[in-house]
Amino acid sequence: MVDLIIIGAGPAGLSAAVYGMRAGLTLMVMEETPMGGGQVVDTHEVDNYLGLPGINGFELGQKFRQHADAQGAVFQSGSVVRVCDGGDRKVVETADGARYEARTVILAGGAKHAQLGVPGEDSYRGRGVSYCATCDGAFFKKRDVAVIGGGDVAVEDAVYLARFCRKVYLIHRRDSLRAAKSLQNKLFSCENVEVVWNSTLQEIGGSDLVEEITVRKSGEEEERKIAVEGVFIAVGMRPNTEPLRGTVACDETGYIIAGEDCATNIPGIFAAGDIRTKSLRQIVTAVADGACAVASVEKYLSSVIE
Ligand code: NAP
């Protein structure tokens, strides 16, 4: 049995690993895919991480991983299906039937892309529908594409795609964007981006591959068809909390309820990064959570030993 199992190897999990190793804890980091790295590795450019302006997301993810490796953190691949609370003995179970025991657990599994649930979204996934512009954008050089959403990710994606796509339609359901002003300024300076305001995606159509989308302006009956070969959906994230339901308290949208100290309602189980309730989900806040969660782990362990 180790002192700490960290579930997730994104910025929050890796930061927790660095702080945990430096605190002299015995620990293991569980990751779903080897060298996964979390959402940051799919980000084209990170321009707001202190001290590293404009760094490529994959490169930043690699640096985080190398830092945890250098501290001697042990990694274990496995898809976690259940976390059980046995008081001072927590049990983490994986899909292949393995069981790992620890005195404490930090849940740092992050979040995944939300789906819209429109016709064609599932059937054209990988055939024109994507949730990651950095991963799939290069397939659409000199083509027309659409990005759905109005947050940081959608606007970043649209700016990124505008560099090499012929035309980018940004479909947003309101008349103003949620994205940071600095990103909006970049967007509005792209000549080949058309923002389709107050509009929602109704359907994705085509033959073998995506050929068009149907959008509808709010309050209007008439629909508009737009010829595109790629559709990038960026309508927010959903926390990866399915295996934890019933173990720790979550809010109505599925995020684990935990404050700045990362403590959940279960003593000895902590939540760090995008998986917990918080007002700002950024790499820097995830990294900070990793540190805070380990401080809480140390406090908990010393209280249990006393
Ligand atoms: P987000 O900020 O939640 O934005 C989601 C966008 O999708 C919103 O514009 C929302 O519209 C729209 N949307 C949601 N459901 C929809 C639906 N059913 N139909 C149509 N549109 C829908 O999510 P995100 O952009 O994925 O960002 C996630 C988090 O990562 C955020 O906290 C963000 O700040 C952070 N992030 C930061 C950076 C950066 O700082 N460089 C980069 C990437 C991500 P409404 O606006 O109308 O609600």
Side-chain angles (χ1 to χ4, degrees):
M1 184 161 75
V2 291
D3 293 327
L4 169 64
I5 289 178
I6 299 163
I7 301 174
L14 293 173
S15 166
V18 169
Y19 273 78
M21 291 305 295
R22 286 174 55 84
L25 302 176
T26 54
L27 66 83
M28 188 175 82
V29 184
M30 308 271 322
E31 55 184 350
E32 187 146 23
T33 46
M35 303 295 288
Q39 296 165 59
V40 61
V41 300
D42 291 335
T43 305
H44 173 65
E45 187 182 280
V46 178
D47 207 22
N48 56 2
Y49 194 76
L50 188 66
L52 298 169
I55 191 168
N56 172 273
F58 183 78
E59 194 187 333
L60 183 58
Q62 294 287 98
K63 282 182 187 288
F64 289 159
R65 176 66 178 233
Q66 284 158 6
H67 196 165
D69 278 337
Q71 292 292 329
V74 173
F75 290 82
Q76 176 67 51
S77 299
S79 179
V80 173
V81 289
R82 214 144 69 100
V83 178
C84 306
D85 174 37
D88 54 7
R89 184 180 290 258
K90 321 290 183 202
V91 180
V92 176
E93 295 175 8
T94 56
D96 56 7
R99 285 165 60 90
Y100 302 93
E101 293 186 354
R103 294 182 180 84
T104 62
V105 174
I106 295 177
L107 307 167
K112 61 173 173 294
H113 301 286
Q115 289 186 255
L116 280 172
V118 296
E121 183 177 8
D122 268 345
S123 51
Y124 285 109
R125 196 175 181 146
R127 294 190 295 134
V129 172
S130 168
Y131 297 83
C132 177
T134 316
C135 321
D136 302 326
F139 297 121
F140 299 91
K141 277 184 186 145
K142 300 196 169 79
R143 313 284 169 93
D144 293 353
V145 299
V147 176
I148 320 297
D152 286 335
V153 171
V155 172
E156 264 183 2
D157 285 359
V159 170
Y160 172 68
L161 292 164
R163 290 184 196 165
F164 49 84
C165 291
R166 193 170 57 179
K167 173 135 190 186
V168 179
Y169 296 90
L170 181 69
I171 317 291
H172 182 42
R173 63 181 176 184
R174 291 189 296 120
D175 63 359
S176 62
L177 297 166
R178 180 182 294 275
K181 279 280 172 288
S182 57
L183 289 171
Q184 293 193 34
N185 292 341
K186 282 189 190 173
L187 180 84
F188 296 134
S189 70
C190 296
E191 285 176 0
N192 57 341
V193 174
E194 177 183 334
V195 184
V196 183
W197 299 105
N198 297 307
S199 298
T200 51
L201 181 67
Q202 301 296 309
E203 190 173 355
I204 300 166
S207 49
D208 207 29
L209 301 171
V210 168
E211 291 172 357
E212 65 174 21
I213 54 170
T214 307
V215 298
R216 184 188 291 160
K217 237 187 167 75
S218 53
E220 289 181 15
E221 280 298 302
E222 209 173 308
E223 294 182 330
R224 173 181 173 191
K225 293 210 187 286
I226 304 173
V228 290
E229 292 176 57
V231 183
F232 292 86
I233 297 172
V235 293
M237 308 300 294
R238 297 287 172 270
N240 289 319
T241 45
E242 287 85 2
L244 315 166
R245 293 272 163 83
T247 304
V248 290
C250 296
D251 72 5
E252 68 285 351
T253 51
Y255 289 95
I256 297 169
I257 298 169
E260 289 296 296
D261 61 0
C262 299
T264 69
N265 62 320
I266 306 292
I269 299 185
F270 303 87
D274 283 9
I275 203 166
R276 80 166 174 92
T277 48
K278 55 160 70 185
S279 58
L280 185 63
R281 294 195 171 86
Q282 298 274 293
I283 300 167
V284 72
T285 60
V287 167
D289 272 10
C292 293
V294 169
S296 296
V297 163
E298 289 184 87
K299 209 163 153 188
Y300 167 83
L301 286 174
S302 56
S303 74
V304 172
I305 290 161
E306 279 160 14

